[in-house]
Amino acid sequence: MALRLVCDFDLRKDVLPGLRARRAASLASGARGGGPGILEDNYESLRILNVERNGNIIYTYKDDKGNVAFGLYDCRTRQNEHLYTFEKDLHVISCSINSERTLLAASLVHSAKEGRKNELQPGSKCLTLLVEIHPVNNVKVLKAVDSSIWVQFLYPQVESHPPPENHLLLISEEKYIEKFHIHVIQEDGNKVVLRDSGHLPRERVAEDFVWAQWDMSEQRLYYIVLKKSRSILKCIQFSANEKFNLMCLVLYVLRLVNFGCDDLQDQGNLSKHLTLCVFTNHTGSLCVCYSPKFDSWEKITYSVFYFHKGHSKTFTAALGSVDSLVTKGLTFLNLDYYVAVYLPGHFFHLLNIQHPDLICHSLFLTGNNEVVDMLPHSPLQSLSGSLVLDWCSGKLYRALLNQSYLLQFLWNTQLDCEKMAVLHCVLSCGRDPRFLEAKIIQWISENISTCHSFDLIQEFIIASSYWSIYPETSNIDKLLPYSSVLTWNTEIPGITLVTEEITLPFMKVHSFKGYWEKLNSNLEYVKCSKPCLLYNNSMVKREWHSLISEEVYSFALLQEDHSMVSELREHLLRHLQGIEKKKIEQMVLDYISKLLDLICQILETSWRTHHLHPWVLHFRRASAAEFTVFHIMTRILEATMSLFLPLPPGFHTLHTILGVHCLPLHNLLHYIDSGVLLLTETAVIRLMKDLDNSENNEKLKFSIIYFHCPKNPPLRIFQFQLLLNYKKQPQSSMIDKSPGSVEFLPLNYFIEILTDIESSNQALYAFEGHDNVDAKFVEEAALKHTTMLLGL
């Protein structure tokens, strides 16, 4: 399947065996208690409560006496530690431990009577407790209310030195959020106690909110408050102790979700409730994924607000069969550059949040597909990064895109939109770029003519070069193209899409650092009314045509050279402020080297695939393999010429020589005239030297040199044309010896002709830096002229 869930933690494998072993050891030592099967029969009470920022997992279970116990799984040592036991039959709503494992916060309610254990009974009290556990010393009641409370310790950025003060968040269903300041002191060595347990300072962080979500990795609290007719999304980053206000997103009736999952929530009917998730990544993206209550069994609608891009997209997915009812809610998972959206048994969507402008950059799989069927049907919660928590099974997964499946899917799909989406997905998430590029190139070489909506070679070269340099700077996505496709009007089967502009977030920040700096840069780019800053080779193309039109040549025939290096360097220097010039220059070289390397890889792959050998350069009748490689090279040329990209040295020479093999003379000359085959000095010399003097070859040489060179030829070809058009004049001095004469009459005769041509034609003086007489030219032309005079 496209999404691979790698299990990092499993309660039944990582915790339960240890509990059973400890229980068995306790019974063997004669400790009082229930039989050995008690915990075995009640293992369903074992469940995850929280995942802290450092990766440690807090879980709870009930012992044989019904007491509630808390344990911690250390993700580094992979060991379990018992934290605390309440000697009462209680139900745990929420729990958190500080980074030093000295304080435990928990919210509990008295267990309901049988038959009502999944509901909070009216009139029951929720106790929020703060416990000293190193060593066990004191329990302080923080809250005693009727509503549910979620607790969360804040974790500092640096954990090497214990902070003198701990901070604890309390999030209440009564729509307020408080932060407690807890001072601790050390006594008698390692004993840690509260400095003033009678008075813990606290402050009101937010109130009248309707929704909240905790980001444990970045220590951010997102919440929504209602003001008049709109909802305002806000964020507080506690680790930096700064507040960031983000707005606005219009929503309706909301409930508290995404701070955790407990048995009090009705997980069997999630489709009756909306789903709301906030996702960010290191590039400065901010996405809000929202799914309202389902009002139809025939289609599902959800929206994604790309705040970093300034627009939202509302997707409507057809479910197909009306008989297949929706019993589960939508799941949104954060996959770095992508957001996965899936409805178990119905569809799986992979949304490109880095480049969401074109729908073809996202993948939409629907119907009876193994990707859809193999995903977990239980409720999942996306944590920071790529962590995914399955509350029901007690498993913590790391969500990864399955490269093997995506490559296989690339070979099998028939839709252009899916080819485009998977191509970008593989390149952006690849952990072994060379291997993936080789696989994609093999696919391109075998499917080069099967894609009609875009050019496979162009898309691969542009996308792969972009992703190879992208990690070096976060602003490169605004300056370098990531796709060759500018518009996409083809419909995606089963998907309708509505795009709307949205109000950009407003940030009230003391200083922009890290993620907030990148988000601010994205927002400034959206606000800017300037034209798109993406680099294109139009400037290089204009300069090229300017050189041709002005008859300015610094090379003989077509030299395989390109001026993209200087143009791209100037483009990046102009827009990448604060980055060293040397780094930008290296970036440019890396980018263009990657372009050329990818083209070379395509050539090498086609060469190996069709078993061509060096003897292909000998002039003889072409084989079927040579025809195929010539076609691939022609497609490469078309792809690069329309984008005006550089080609590896020798490309045009090899392409022309293969063209001589593969094409009849009239087709060959037509290819040269139309610019498909571009003559290089090396190619012309090879033609002159390697072709024998048969009638057909002589005709080919004459046609190429005299009629199919560029209309504004360089010096050597211009000299040939002057010689061809020269009309002999009666001159008695032709046979007179001059100071420069040699003892070879035909050569003297020809020197006189050249002298006359040069003295009577001013056009030769346009070629600055060249001698009027090219010795090599005189030698070759004189010998040829002599053989003609002698009839040899």
Side-chain angles (χ1 to χ4, degrees):
M1 59 181 180
L3 189 64
R4 187 162 59 97
L5 297 179
V6 179
C7 187
D8 279 2
F9 171 79
D10 186 346
L11 273 176
R12 298 186 181 183
K13 293 182 179 180
D14 296 316
V15 175
L16 189 58
L19 294 178
R20 289 173 176 165
R22 191 162 63 223
R23 176 62 177 160
S26 176
L27 292 174
S29 64
R32 298 177 59 187
I38 296 296
L39 190 60
E40 176 77 22
D41 295 337
N42 295 331
Y43 71 89
E44 291 181 355
S45 66
L46 182 64
R47 63 188 180 94
I48 294 176
L49 290 175
N50 199 359
V51 180
E52 300 290 6
R53 185 184 190 185
N54 55 15
N56 292 342
I57 299 169
I58 306 175
Y59 53 86
T60 184
Y61 59 93
K62 292 185 178 181
D63 61 16
D64 57 316
K65 298 179 180 179
N67 298 328
V68 176
F70 294 87
L72 180 142
Y73 177 81
D74 191 316
C75 65
R76 295 187 181 93
T77 63
R78 306 190 73 82
Q79 298 295 319
N80 289 283
E81 174 186 345
H82 177 260
L83 297 177
Y84 193 77
T85 298
F86 285 102
E87 296 183 352
K88 291 182 179 180
D89 188 6
L90 300 171
H91 176 81
V92 185
I93 297 176
S94 176
C95 181
S96 183
I97 191 172
N98 64 347
S99 57
E100 297 78 42
R101 304 185 193 178
T102 58
L103 299 176
L104 178 72
S107 290
L108 310 99
V109 295
H110 291 284
S111 290
K113 295 180 180 179
E114 187 177 355
R116 295 177 59 85
K117 69 175 183 178
N118 288 332
E119 299 179 8
L120 183 61
Q121 292 183 348
S124 63
K125 293 286 186 180
C126 172
L127 292 177
T128 303
L129 307 176
L130 180 63
V131 184
E132 297 172 351
I133 60 172
H134 189 71
V136 175
N137 183 59
N138 185 31
V139 177
K140 178 176 176 57
V141 177
L142 297 181
K143 289 283 182 179
V145 293
D146 292 337
S147 59
S148 296
I149 299 286
W150 278 259
V151 293
Q152 178 62 57
F153 273 103
L154 303 181
Y155 276 57
Q157 290 283 359
V158 180
E159 301 179 3
S160 57
H161 302 287
E165 185 176 74
N166 288 265
H167 302 280
L168 177 68
L169 288 182
L170 268 66
I171 298 91
S172 172
E173 275 191 334
E174 294 182 354
K175 302 180 180 180
Y176 65 86
I177 303 172
E178 291 182 332
K179 181 168 70 169
F180 281 79
H181 304 271
I182 306 168
H183 293 268
V184 295
I185 56 175
Q186 287 190 342
E187 296 179 351
D188 302 331
N190 295 326
K191 184 178 180 181
V192 178
V193 297
L194 301 177
R195 189 175 70 179
D196 185 3
S197 60
H199 175 69
L200 298 179
R202 59 182 174 177
E203 61 179 303
R204 185 65 59 97
V205 172
E207 53 189 11
D208 296 330
F209 73 93
V210 293
W211 173 91
Q213 175 182 307
W214 175 246
D215 184 336
M216 59 95 171
S217 177
E218 302 299 332
Q219 298 288 281
R220 298 185 193 131
L221 177 67
Y222 299 96
Y223 62 98
I224 292 178
V225 295
L226 297 176
K227 286 191 177 180
K228 297 182 179 179
S229 61
R230 65 181 181 181
S231 302
I232 300 177
L233 172 65
K234 294 188 176 184
C235 173
I236 303 176
Q237 175 122 28
F238 289 101
S239 58
N241 199 26
E242 295 175 349
K243 296 184 179 181
F244 305 85
N245 298 325
L246 313 178
M247 60 183 295
C248 61
L249 169 62
V250 178
L251 297 172
Y252 301 99
V253 181
L254 303 172
R255 62 173 254 175
L256 183 70
V257 295
N258 278 3
F259 202 81
C261 181
D262 65 89
D263 291 343
L264 304 181
Q265 298 183 19
D266 187 358
Q267 298 295 343
N269 295 300
L270 286 184
S271 61
K272 295 181 180 180
H273 307 290
L274 61 85
T275 302
L276 184 67
C277 300
V278 178
F279 293 143
T280 63
N281 75 3
H282 63 282
T283 65
S285 68
L286 174 60
C287 288
V288 176
C289 303
Y290 168 64
S291 173
K293 298 178 182 178
F294 300 155
D295 56 2
S296 171
W297 301 117
E298 299 179 1
K299 59 184 179 181
I300 298 296
T301 297
Y302 65 90
S303 299
V304 179
F305 297 80
Y306 303 93
F307 280 97
H308 58 293
K309 294 292 185 179
H311 64 259
S312 68
K313 292 182 182 293
T314 298
F315 301 89
T316 300
L319 298 185
S321 175
V322 184
D323 298 333
S324 181
L325 299 181
V326 178
T327 58
K328 303 291 183 181
L330 276 183
T331 295
F332 296 102
L333 300 179
N334 188 7
L335 302 176
D336 202 11
Y337 298 120
Y338 288 84
V339 166
V341 187
Y342 76 89
L343 186 64
H346 294 278
F347 65 75
F348 176 86
H349 297 168
L350 202 57
L351 304 182
N352 190 325
I353 61 173
Q354 199 67 20
H355 303 296
D357 300 328
L358 299 182
I359 190 174
C360 60
H361 290 144
S362 298
L363 181 64
F364 301 90
L365 303 178
T366 59
N368 295 323
N369 190 294
E370 64 172 355
V371 175
V372 178
D373 295 336
M374 292 180 67
L375 291 172
H377 286 216
S378 56
L380 301 179
Q381 182 181 350
S382 183
L383 304 179
S384 299
S386 59
L387 292 178
V388 178
L389 186 57
D390 186 340
W391 295 98
C392 296
S393 66
K395 294 180 180 180
L396 182 68
Y397 297 102
R398 192 167 300 277
L400 304 171
L401 290 171
N402 191 334
Q403 295 177 354
S404 299
Y405 175 85
L406 291 173
L407 286 171
Q408 181 184 0
F409 186 84
L410 192 62
W411 282 85
N412 297 331
T413 183
Q414 301 299 315
L415 298 177
D416 284 1
C417 58
E418 293 182 343
K419 295 175 185 176
M420 171 77 80
V422 175
L423 177 64
H424 280 270
C425 185
V426 171
L427 291 174
S428 64
C429 303
R431 290 172 295 279
D432 188 355
R434 297 292 293 185
F435 169 78
L436 295 173
E437 288 169 356
K439 292 293 185 180
I440 294 174
I441 288 172
Q442 187 66 42
W443 169 71
I444 290 176
S445 64
E446 297 184 21
N447 296 271
I448 197 167
S449 300
T450 61
C451 192
H452 307 289
S453 303
F454 64 97
D455 188 307
L456 280 178
I457 296 176
Q458 278 187 352
E459 196 65 18
F460 169 65
I461 292 174
I462 293 295
S464 186
S465 300
Y466 166 84
W467 284 110
S468 70
I469 202 172
Y470 177 78
E472 296 186 29
T473 173
S474 60
N475 291 324
I476 207 70
D477 61 329
K478 307 177 186 66
L479 303 176
L480 287 179
Y482 57 88
S483 174
S484 64
V485 177
L486 300 179
T487 59
W488 185 275
N489 299 320
T490 306
E491 293 185 358
I492 307 294
I495 295 291
T496 57
L497 172 64
V498 177
T499 302
E500 297 177 306
E501 291 187 2
I502 59 176
T503 303
L504 295 178
F506 168 76
M507 294 195 294
K508 187 178 180 181
V509 189
H510 296 297
S511 61
F512 291 108
K513 296 179 181 179
Y515 166 80
W516 302 104
E517 181 180 10
K518 295 176 182 178
L519 175 59
N520 184 63
S521 175
N522 290 333
L523 297 179
E524 291 298 323
Y525 179 74
V526 174
K527 294 175 186 177
C528 183
S529 59
K530 297 178 182 179
C532 180
L533 298 179
L534 289 180
Y535 173 82
N536 63 67
N537 283 317
S538 58
M539 180 63 70
V540 179
K541 193 171 185 178
R542 285 196 298 270
E543 289 189 358
W544 176 267
H545 290 301
S546 175
L547 287 173
I548 295 177
S549 63
E550 294 174 4
E551 301 183 6
V552 177
Y553 288 86
S554 60
F555 38 75
L557 285 174
L558 174 67
Q559 294 291 329
E560 296 172 291
D561 191 19
H562 208 277
S563 58
M564 182 179 175
V565 175
S566 59
E567 291 296 335
L568 181 56
R569 180 174 60 244
E570 291 303 317
H571 173 74
L572 296 183
L573 285 172
R574 189 162 52 248
H575 298 292
L576 284 179
Q577 302 297 327
I579 299 181
E580 294 181 2
K581 183 178 179 180
K582 288 185 178 180
K583 184 176 181 180
I584 292 179
E585 290 177 346
Q586 186 61 49
M587 195 183 305
V588 171
L589 292 177
D590 292 344
Y591 181 76
I592 296 179
S593 297
K594 185 66 176 182
L595 284 172
L596 297 174
D597 178 62
L598 292 172
I599 297 172
C600 289
Q601 287 187 56
I602 297 174
L603 286 173
E604 291 171 0
T605 299
S606 62
W607 202 273
R608 289 194 304 269
T609 301
H610 298 285
H611 308 290
L612 295 190
H613 302 286
W615 49 254
V616 72
L617 296 179
H618 298 169
F619 292 93
R620 57 177 185 76
R621 185 176 180 82
S623 64
E626 291 169 340
F627 272 105
T628 303
V629 174
F630 176 73
H631 173 67
I632 292 175
M633 292 191 71
T634 303
R635 292 296 300 270
I636 293 174
L637 183 65
E638 292 173 353
T640 54
M641 285 186 68
S642 61
L643 297 177
F644 216 72
L645 299 175
L647 285 165
F651 179 91
H652 291 298
T653 298
L654 180 59
H655 191 212
T656 299
I657 293 175
L658 275 177
V660 173
H661 292 199
C662 299
L663 301 174
L665 179 59
H666 64 282
N667 285 359
L668 176 67
L669 300 179
H670 174 69
Y671 271 48
I672 295 174
D673 287 338
S674 60
V676 176
L677 291 178
L678 304 181
L679 291 175
T680 65
E681 182 179 5
T682 304
V684 172
I685 292 175
R686 290 295 303 273
L687 290 174
M688 297 300 106
K689 289 184 176 181
D690 293 0
L691 290 179
D692 59 28
N693 292 327
S694 65
E695 181 177 351
N696 287 337
N697 287 346
E698 285 290 304
K699 186 177 181 181
L700 170 62
K701 294 179 184 180
F702 183 82
S703 298
I704 289 177
I705 291 180
Y706 293 109
F707 298 107
H708 295 90
C709 286
K711 293 183 179 179
N712 296 298
L715 176 59
R716 181 171 298 190
I717 302 305
F718 188 64
Q719 290 173 329
F720 271 115
Q721 288 182 332
L722 290 176
L723 179 62
L724 180 68
N725 297 328
Y726 175 71
K727 295 181 179 179
K728 288 187 275 187
Q729 301 292 334
Q731 298 181 23
S732 59
S733 63
M734 280 284 188
I735 59 175
D736 294 339
K737 288 188 177 181
S738 61
S741 298
V742 295
E743 296 298 328
F744 187 51
L745 184 60
L747 185 55
N748 287 338
Y749 177 81
F750 193 67
I751 290 174
E752 291 289 338
I753 293 177
L754 293 178
T755 303
D756 187 47
I757 290 173
E758 292 163 358
S759 62
S760 61
N761 201 304
Q762 298 297 318
L764 286 171
Y765 294 100
F767 298 96
E768 296 181 6
H770 293 274
D771 294 329
N772 285 349
V773 177
D774 187 324
K776 186 71 174 178
F777 168 72
V778 171
E779 178 186 350
E780 294 176 352
L783 292 176
K784 184 67 177 178
H785 188 68
T786 300
T787 56
M788 292 173 61
L789 288 177
L790 298 178
L792 299 177

